[in-house]
Amino acid sequence: MGITKVDGFTPEVTQMAEILKALGHPARLAIMEYLINSPDCINGDLVDHLPLAQSTVSRHLSELKKVGLIKGTITGNCISYCINDDVWDKIKVFFNTSSDQITPGKSCAC
Amino acid sequence: MGITKVDGFTPEVTQMAEILKALGHPARLAIMEYLINSPDCINGDLVDHLPLAQSTVSRHLSELKKVGLIKGTITGNCISYCINDDVWDKIKVFFNTSSDQITPGKSCAC
DNA sequence: TTCCCATATCGCAATATTACGATATTAAAA
DNA sequence: TTTTAATATCGTAATATTGCGATATGGGAA
């Protein structure tokens, strides 16, 4: 098949899975790190930092944008992409609150 | 193609991407939440909580195990799967340290 | 306007993923 | 030993993903 079942899962789980799936690729994760660490939002030389063709990088950028991880556009002299803090924080919250709920000492003895 | 390029990325990025990719599926994310919230490690009734066939759930479990997100096995009377805290914490650290490096007020004006 | 540069989109081919039923496996129970 | 219950694996078909070259697009420069 290749099609991912969505029925039966909560919208929260489905949405978070989409975000994490977008991050689950070396190129896209590297793009996020690059955007985080770069002093400004310009991504003009992003292609030079990745071992991928320009068209492929553009495709990955559009996927990151699709799930809301990055925002911005290339319109004329305003060339910029940057992190969407809202979504990034959402991920942080997800993992932090989840971890708190792990019962201490629950590690299985197998 | 469908094949993911690995050459040119740091091992850290590649490994974290694999972990996040494993989490980037509603079923697998739901499994993790279930394991976190369940009082014990037993996952016998996991299939009842997911809208998927038993064989599909088993496959997802094996993928979570492949990247180290869960550990444990079904061996005789010791039926258990549980979270691998090491890997889970690794994810937490990854996002927390990354977020700290975001330059404040860097949001692009486009 | 025409040219140039950077980014986006398209089309394709190769591979990966997903899901399910059927079957195999494994260990406990009868 | 045979049966039973639970999980794992196999085989499959359908769809998704990935990457690249070619091309389109859009704005500034000449």
Side-chain angles (χ1 to χ4, degrees):
Chain A
M1 300 201 169
I3 190 169
T4 296
K5 257 200 174 179
V6 166
D7 299 350
F9 298 106
T10 65
E12 290 76 21
V13 164
T14 302
Q15 195 198 5
M16 185 56 66
E18 276 180 355
I19 294 169
L20 295 177
K21 183 181 180 182
L23 288 176
H25 188 287
R28 293 194 288 265
L29 200 57
I31 289 173
M32 294 305 290
E33 285 197 332
Y34 180 79
L35 287 180
I36 287 174
N37 294 319
S38 64
D40 47 27
C41 294
I42 297 176
N43 76 324
D45 48 5
L46 183 58
V47 176
D48 302 332
H49 290 267
L50 298 173
L52 296 168
Q54 179 267 327
S55 61
T56 307
V57 173
S58 180
R59 176 183 281 263
H60 283 308
L61 282 170
S62 88
E63 274 191 67
L64 288 172
K65 196 177 174 186
K66 193 176 66 179
V67 298
L69 275 164
I70 62 177
K71 56 187 176 180
T73 355
I74 312 293
T75 48
N77 53 359
C78 191
I79 305 175
S80 67
Y81 266 132
C82 62
I83 300 222
N84 186 349
D85 291 329
D86 295 340
V87 176
W88 199 253
D89 286 343
K90 193 171 184 175
I91 301 171
K92 266 182 69 174
V93 168
F94 174 80
F95 282 108
N96 286 332
T97 59
S98 294
S99 296
D100 293 341
Q101 296 177 3
I102 295 180
T103 310
K106 202 174 67 172
S107 60
C108 55
C110 299
Chain B
M1 300 200 169
I3 191 169
T4 297
K5 257 200 174 181
V6 166
D7 299 349
F9 297 107
T10 66
E12 291 76 21
V13 165
T14 302
Q15 195 199 3
M16 185 57 65
E18 277 180 356
I19 294 169
L20 295 177
K21 183 182 180 182
L23 288 176
H25 188 286
R28 293 194 288 266
L29 200 56
I31 289 173
M32 294 304 290
E33 285 197 332
Y34 180 78
L35 287 180
I36 286 175
N37 295 320
S38 65
D40 47 28
C41 294
I42 297 176
N43 76 324
D45 49 3
L46 183 57
V47 175
D48 301 332
H49 290 268
L50 298 173
L52 295 168
Q54 178 268 326
S55 61
T56 307
V57 173
S58 180
R59 177 181 279 262
H60 283 307
L61 281 170
S62 87
E63 275 191 68
L64 288 172
K65 196 177 173 187
K66 193 176 66 179
V67 299
L69 274 164
I70 63 177
K71 55 186 176 180
T73 352
I74 312 294
T75 50
N77 54 359
C78 190
I79 304 175
S80 67
Y81 266 131
C82 62
I83 300 223
N84 187 349
D85 291 330
D86 295 339
V87 176
W88 199 254
D89 286 343
K90 193 171 184 173
I91 300 170
K92 266 183 69 175
V93 168
F94 174 80
F95 283 108
N96 286 332
T97 58
S98 294
S99 294
D100 293 342
Q101 295 177 4
I102 296 181
T103 309
K106 202 174 67 173
S107 60
C108 55
C110 298

